[in-house]
Amino acid sequence: MDNVLNHIGIENYIFLSVILFCIGVFGVLYRRNAIIVFMSIEIMLNAVNLLFVAFSTYHQDANGQVFVFFSMAVAAAEVAVGLAILVAVFRNIGSIDVANLKNLKG
Amino acid sequence: MDTTLALVLILAPLFGFLLNIFFGKQLGKTLSGAIGTFTVIVSFAVTLYFFLNITETNQAIQVKLFDWIAISDFKVDFGFLLDHLSLLWLMFVTGIGALIHLYSISYMHDDENMHKFFAYLNLFVFFMISLVIGSNLLIMFIGWEGVGLCSYLLIGFWYKNQDFNDAAKKAFIMNRIGDLGLLVGIFIVGFVFKTIDFAELKTIVLAGTMNNEMWITIAAIALFIGAAGKSAQIPLYTWLPDAMAGPTPVSALIHAATMVTAGIFMITRLYFLFDLAPLVQDAIAIIGAITSLVAATIALVQTDIKKVLAYSTVSQLGLMFLALGMGAYEIAVFHVITHAFFKACLFLGSGSVIHALHNEQDMRKMGGLRKAMPITFITMLLSSLAISGIFPLAGFWSKDEILMTAFHGNPVLWVIGSLASIFTAFYMFRLMFLTFFNDFRGTEEQKKHLHESPALITFPLIVLAILATVGGLISLPGNSWLNHYLAPFFPNKEHIAHALGQTEYILMAIATVGALVGIGVAYAKYMKQNQVPGADATFTGISKVLYNKYYVDEIYDAIFVKPINALSNFFRDFVEVGLSAFVFGFGKVANELSFQGKKLQTGSIGFYLFIFVIGFCAIISYLFIEL
């Protein structure tokens, strides 16, 4: 079977992952809407998943691909919980701006 | 049988104490006093039984109740030792104790806390009995501490007067210093001999296998410090005169006849130890002699009738210690007994006078009481003659024995002791003349109420005066019942009877003449010239020094109390402040740290995340750089 890595080199996948991850990080850091922060987290997760799959193919080892399934399952659960929290937060303070969530101030 | 009786002997006063302390108020004054007296009489009766028993069988009775402490090979039993010495002691402790209880019924009748008084007196008798009959040093120590406590309670009995409370505290603290010595002595004895049982100790020492001289000497010194505290010897004697703040029966019972002789009892109990430490014996003799002289000189000018008697007691105790130091234990015991008789009588007599004058203790305001109080006068006169050492009263024999022993041991000590005796005769008759002769110097109001005391007061006086008169018969030179009786207690001692040679008769003559001179001077000064000591401020020169008791209290105050107070203040003002600054410093630092750390917790999620990412990046870069 033809290896996809023969057409596009592994380093490109790494670059793409790093770029996606950085986008995610900056999204988390700079956006104040909680939903977008969430999306940014998802982007980071998926960047890692992409890297998993790429290296899995590179090493001819299926473990990485299996791990991605777990990762996606956990991410789905996290989103469910996270969105539920957001709904609760919105009901309480009428906003989902993370800058307003300051009740834990010491 | 013996165990039961011994238990009755010791527990009867305790029972009286419990009854009086818990139900005294409901019982009423008469019943409360009767119970207190009766329990002591019970003890006296049991003692008498044992005493008659031992004079027949000559066998010491040992009562062991139970094992008390057992640590590997060190064992302490809880038991009593009823031997010749302890029974002799019990005879006069319970006997005089019973008389003084009887006296107190009348003397304390107007006091609202009479039941408490009897409770404390009973407690005192209980502890005194345990001190005397304990079979080992530890039980004796319990009694020793107990009588100290009762002494404290009774000196401060009229607690509303702050001076009396201070006197009580002073007595307690002074005693504590001595008690520490005793305790150290007990530890050393236990360490060296592996036992603190009197009988076992005696066996070990008399077997002669123990020659740990250094430790025995140290133990003897420590024990002597204990004895000096309890028996008011230099340098720990200042509490006894102040202890006169207590009611007069207390002065008679505790601070003249019984408790203050505990030190002499302890040294006699452990005579075999002291025999092994001749240096300590010499020290005891010297301290005893000096104490007797110093106290006698102070007594010369005191104006408080009880203070005179108090210093007289210290002086007589000094003579007893002189005898102890000379190794003449049975003579010391003899003087303890005769002294108990006449000094108890004198104190009770002074109590009778004070009672008649409504708590007036200043001899300058007495005088001429002879006619109003004939019984008190005659009994006190007999006792004064006895203490002055006039033939053939009790004091003559015992004091003479001590002086004779001193003469054979060390003439210097004999001179000191004789001087003290002459002074004794002088101050006792000064007291007598000022109190009972010439005209009454008190107020008209007091004069109207002058009366002889009731029978409950005069009866003990009469009994004690008779004893003070004939008490010397128990140990006549050459034919001493006392020496004979105590012989089994001193198995290793040659019975030294002073052969009555020419020297002895000369010594007796000197002592008698000395006493007569003392009385004569007092007569000339206070009877013929009718002098009365002036107000406190008029004392000059030596009298002033003597009147102020050589300023010993002031010296102690300057040497010990003030520096200790200064040290305490220093610790309070500087050391404690420094320490608390250090300790509180920890708290302050922690507080400051958390206060600053709190500022990090802004609650802003963005900020947290930012820190999180930075930190994460830092960790990652660190790992990569390392690798």
Side-chain angles (χ1 to χ4, degrees):
Chain A
M1 186 184 134
D2 194 18
N3 195 327
V4 69
L5 290 178
N6 292 340
H7 303 284
I8 305 166
I10 180 81
E11 65 275 7
N12 296 314
Y13 289 98
I14 296 174
F15 289 143
L16 178 61
S17 279
V18 169
I19 290 165
L20 280 175
F21 193 85
C22 288
I23 290 170
V25 168
F26 285 105
V28 166
L29 288 184
Y30 289 107
R31 299 310 293 260
R32 296 170 66 185
N33 188 323
I35 290 180
I36 295 189
V37 170
F38 242 122
M39 286 163 62
S40 304
I41 292 171
E42 288 304 311
I43 289 175
M44 282 192 283
L45 273 169
N46 283 314
V48 175
N49 285 349
L50 178 63
L51 210 53
F52 262 127
V53 178
F55 278 120
S56 166
T57 312
Y58 183 74
H59 290 295
Q60 297 291 307
D61 181 353
N63 272 342
Q65 297 187 26
V66 174
F67 216 93
V68 168
F69 284 114
F70 281 113
S71 168
M72 281 159 68
V74 170
E78 179 228 313
V79 167
V81 175
L83 286 176
I85 291 174
L86 281 183
V87 170
V89 168
F90 184 78
R91 278 184 187 160
N92 271 309
I93 61 174
S95 150
I96 47 171
D97 187 337
V98 287
N100 290 339
L101 298 177
K102 283 192 171 172
N103 282 351
L104 281 178
K105 183 173 186 291
Chain B
M1 178 66 182
D2 285 340
T3 314
T4 321
L5 277 178
L7 281 176
V8 170
L9 165 66
I10 190 167
L11 292 181
L14 183 68
F15 180 68
F17 160 72
L18 293 174
L19 267 185
N20 268 330
I21 199 85
F22 290 118
F23 307 108
K25 213 145 210 171
Q26 289 93 310
L27 288 173
K29 287 183 174 179
T30 316
L31 200 54
S32 153
I35 288 172
T37 312
F38 179 71
T39 53
V40 180
I41 290 176
V42 167
S43 287
F44 178 68
V46 177
T47 309
L48 195 64
Y49 165 77
F50 277 123
F51 183 75
L52 294 176
N53 214 8
I54 204 169
T55 48
E56 264 173 40
T57 61
N58 246 340
Q59 282 295 316
I61 299 166
Q62 274 186 304
V63 177
K64 188 188 148 184
L65 293 179
F66 52 86
D67 293 334
W68 190 14
I69 299 169
I71 307 163
S72 72
D73 59 341
F74 183 77
K75 267 182 62 182
V76 180
D77 293 338
F78 199 97
F80 305 132
L81 177 61
L82 297 156
D83 63 355
H84 294 81
L85 181 70
S86 56
L87 284 173
L88 186 66
W89 224 272
L90 280 188
M91 278 299 283
F92 74 82
V93 167
T94 53
I96 295 180
L99 285 176
I100 292 176
H101 275 72
L102 201 61
Y103 176 97
S104 308
I105 294 179
S106 171
Y107 189 84
M108 297 300 287
H109 203 268
D110 297 331
D111 197 286
E112 52 177 340
N113 287 322
M114 183 175 164
H115 64 285
K116 230 192 253 172
F117 182 80
F118 273 95
Y120 293 160
L121 270 192
N122 275 165
L123 189 66
F124 166 77
V125 174
F126 164 71
F127 278 126
M128 192 70 203
I129 294 175
S130 35
L131 189 161
V132 173
I133 68 173
S135 72
N136 57 53
L137 278 165
L138 210 52
I139 297 178
M140 182 165 120
F141 185 71
I142 295 177
W144 190 278
E145 291 293 307
V147 291
L149 168 73
C150 295
S151 164
Y152 165 80
L153 289 172
L154 286 164
I155 294 170
F157 184 71
W158 287 316
Y159 56 88
K160 282 171 188 159
N161 184 327
Q162 187 53 37
D163 287 348
F164 294 180
N165 287 334
D166 290 343
K169 271 188 280 181
K170 184 173 175 183
F172 200 70
I173 292 166
M174 281 273 182
N175 267 300
R176 296 299 315 166
I177 299 172
D179 294 348
L180 183 67
L182 178 66
L183 205 53
V184 171
I186 295 174
F187 290 155
I188 296 176
V189 169
F191 172 71
V192 174
F193 294 97
K194 304 277 175 274
T195 177
I196 52 171
D197 190 90
F198 293 128
E200 286 172 26
L201 279 174
K202 201 166 173 177
T203 319
I204 295 174
V205 173
L206 294 188
T209 48
M210 188 63 70
N211 43 16
N212 199 337
E213 206 169 292
M214 189 190 75
W215 279 112
I216 291 177
T217 306
I218 296 174
I221 292 172
L223 291 170
F224 172 60
I225 292 172
K230 199 54 102 197
S231 293
Q233 296 298 294
I234 286 176
L236 297 174
Y237 72 96
T238 55
W239 66 271
L240 187 55
D242 285 11
M244 297 304 135
T248 309
V250 173
S251 309
L253 178 63
I254 301 184
H255 304 120
T258 57
M259 185 189 84
V260 288
T261 63
I264 292 140
F265 174 78
M266 189 262 284
I267 291 181
T268 312
R269 242 294 174 245
L270 297 170
Y271 77 94
F272 41 85
L273 270 186
F274 286 86
D275 275 352
L276 293 182
L279 278 177
V280 182
Q281 282 194 311
D282 291 347
I284 294 176
I286 293 167
I287 288 179
I290 295 174
T291 308
S292 75
L293 186 63
V294 167
T297 51
I298 297 175
L300 293 178
V301 296
Q302 295 302 312
T303 51
D304 183 323
I305 186 167
K306 283 178 76 181
K307 280 271 160 75
V308 175
L309 293 174
Y311 278 105
S312 160
T313 306
V314 176
S315 168
Q316 299 298 313
L317 291 168
L319 283 180
M320 295 168 205
F321 272 84
L322 173 60
L324 289 177
M326 291 285 164
Y329 302 101
E330 63 278 356
I331 296 173
V333 172
F334 181 31
H335 197 55
V336 165
I337 295 170
T338 57
H339 175 257
F341 294 153
F342 54 66
K343 190 51 68 62
C345 181
L346 285 169
F347 263 117
L348 294 184
S350 75
S352 170
V353 170
I354 294 166
H355 201 58
L357 294 177
H358 298 283
N359 299 326
E360 180 58 63
Q361 300 194 9
D362 194 332
M363 292 193 295
R364 288 171 294 201
K365 293 174 188 153
M366 296 176 183
L369 299 179
R370 183 171 36 130
K371 295 192 192 79
M373 312 178 71
I375 300 178
T376 308
F377 167 65
I378 291 170
T379 52
M380 275 189 86
L381 182 67
L382 283 172
S383 300
S384 298
L385 287 169
I387 194 177
S388 307
I390 300 296
F391 180 84
L393 291 95
F396 170 75
W397 304 106
S398 54
K399 192 180 278 184
D400 209 56
E401 289 272 338
I402 292 176
L403 293 178
M404 265 187 223
T405 318
F407 184 78
H408 289 297
N410 185 339
V412 179
L413 295 180
W414 173 74
V415 172
I416 297 177
S418 300
L419 267 180
S421 301
I422 295 170
F423 288 153
T424 306
F426 174 77
Y427 65 66
M428 279 320 300
F429 277 86
R430 173 175 174 270
L431 183 152
M432 290 304 291
F433 290 136
L434 283 176
T435 310
F436 290 104
F437 289 88
N438 294 322
D439 297 326
F440 185 64
R441 294 182 293 273
T443 59
E444 281 302 310
E445 178 70 18
Q446 283 173 324
K447 194 168 183 176
K448 238 183 281 169
H449 290 108
L450 278 184
H451 58 280
E452 180 58 282
S453 302
L456 274 178
I457 285 184
T458 52
F459 173 70
L461 280 175
I462 295 168
V463 174
L464 286 168
I466 292 171
L467 288 171
T469 310
V470 302
L473 292 177
I474 62 171
S475 183
L476 294 175
N479 180 20
S480 169
W481 171 85
L482 184 72
N483 288 5
H484 182 68
Y485 169 78
L486 281 176
F489 182 75
F490 300 108
N492 62 329
K493 294 239 162 199
E494 292 268 323
H495 177 57
I496 326 154
H498 289 294
L500 283 176
Q502 209 181 357
T503 333
E504 278 69 23
Y505 281 117
I506 292 174
L507 286 177
M508 280 188 192
I510 294 175
T512 311
V513 170
L516 288 175
V517 167
I519 296 173
V521 174
Y523 178 79
K525 202 164 171 201
Y526 297 104
M527 189 68 195
K528 273 210 139 154
Q529 301 175 18
N530 199 2
Q531 286 185 7
V532 176
D536 294 358
T538 59
F539 287 98
T540 50
I542 297 177
S543 332
K544 192 175 178 194
V545 175
L546 291 179
Y547 188 70
N548 289 305
K549 309 146 197 165
Y550 292 108
Y551 298 99
V552 171
D553 279 330
E554 285 76 8
I555 293 170
Y556 282 179
D557 197 47
I559 297 181
F560 298 108
V561 180
K562 291 242 170 74
I564 287 177
N565 278 343
L567 192 68
S568 314
N569 283 338
F570 169 75
F571 275 116
R572 187 193 59 196
D573 294 342
F574 297 100
V575 177
E576 198 191 353
V577 171
L579 275 178
S580 47
F582 183 67
V583 174
F584 289 141
F586 279 108
K588 278 193 184 133
V589 167
N591 202 13
E592 188 60 28
L593 273 179
S594 45
F595 186 72
Q596 294 301 335
K598 193 178 83 165
K599 290 181 183 167
L600 282 175
Q601 309 292 326
T602 56
S604 155
I605 291 174
F607 178 70
Y608 290 169
L609 286 171
F610 183 72
I611 297 293
F612 168 69
V613 170
I614 297 282
F616 186 76
C617 290
I619 292 170
I620 294 291
S621 21
Y622 172 77
L623 288 175
F624 272 88
I625 290 162
E626 274 298 286
L627 294 170

